[in-house]
Amino acid sequence: MRAAANPVGRCVRLFTLRELAAIAILLAASGARAAAPDLTLSAGDIAIHDKTDPRRRYGVELRFAALGRWLLRPTLGAINAENDARYAYLGLRRDFRWTPEWTLTPSADIGAFDGGDEIRLGSLAEFRTGIELSWGQTQQLRVGIALYHLSNGGTSRHNPGTEELALTLTLPLSW
């Protein structure tokens, strides 16, 4: 049986697919016109260091073209886990090419989190930071591994945080 949600959580719901698509269209029209975006699919575990057993999580992410002199990539994504945990987010990425094949990508996201029956992170608004190491050519398929930390950043008294480990597959949408 699911515990009663707090009043704030009931008032603010997670993004629907329609709303995520609308945000993606706005981002694409506003600044990501230099190149086609990438679609990143991911699968892995969430709560890998928690007292509960890790749960499988699956995600999809749209990474837009790099903007400005810092080459930051606006990102829109969603994650679902086996225990009904969900996270819909907006974020920024920056690709650092080590070699023509290897890319290191740090990230920072903010989004709405619903931990389902097991994961309690203290608030609806959660921040996620991470690092991804991927292999493949820039305009071709890339595979990688990513580690993320998800927490409310101390915005509430309860701030346990949790970690995710995921395999990633990035496909350029210019194919």
Side-chain angles (χ1 to χ4, degrees):
M1 184 83 125
R2 187 169 179 165
N6 65 39
V8 174
R10 287 183 176 275
C11 294
V12 182
R13 63 180 172 77
L14 292 174
F15 296 111
T16 64
L17 288 177
R18 187 176 356 174
E19 290 163 335
L20 288 173
I23 292 169
I25 290 167
L26 288 173
L27 281 172
S30 66
R33 58 192 170 281
D38 294 338
L39 179 69
T40 299
L41 306 173
S42 63
D45 287 338
I46 189 169
I48 60 174
H49 286 120
D50 296 356
K51 292 178 183 175
T52 62
D53 290 331
R55 297 295 183 193
R56 293 277 181 246
R57 45 81 74 211
Y58 306 94
V60 61
E61 194 172 271
L62 197 55
R63 298 178 182 180
F64 296 93
L67 302 173
R69 72 177 201 196
W70 289 300
L71 303 175
L72 296 175
R73 299 183 74 179
T75 303
L76 174 69
I79 296 169
N80 282 318
E82 286 178 333
N83 62 346
D84 293 330
R86 294 182 300 252
Y87 183 56
Y89 58 92
L90 296 169
L92 294 172
R93 306 280 180 277
R94 170 65 160 89
D95 291 337
F96 292 95
R97 304 288 297 173
W98 274 355
T99 69
E101 294 85 23
W102 289 98
T103 303
L104 188 66
T105 307
S107 61
D109 308 316
I110 185 169
F113 180 79
D114 176 0
D117 292 333
E118 298 172 8
I119 302 173
R120 300 281 183 246
L121 296 183
S123 74
L124 178 69
E126 297 288 333
F127 303 95
R128 187 175 82 152
T129 55
I131 191 85
E132 175 186 359
L133 179 64
S134 60
W135 180 86
Q137 298 294 322
T138 303
Q139 296 301 319
Q140 297 177 9
L141 178 89
R142 289 196 327 256
V143 294
I145 187 164
L147 179 65
Y148 300 103
H149 175 72
L150 184 65
S151 79
N152 64 41
T155 59
S156 74
R157 285 186 181 178
H158 184 64
N159 182 26
T162 192
E163 285 73 38
E164 301 173 52
L165 183 64
L167 296 175
T168 61
L169 178 65
T170 301
L171 308 131
L173 294 181
S174 60
W175 278 358

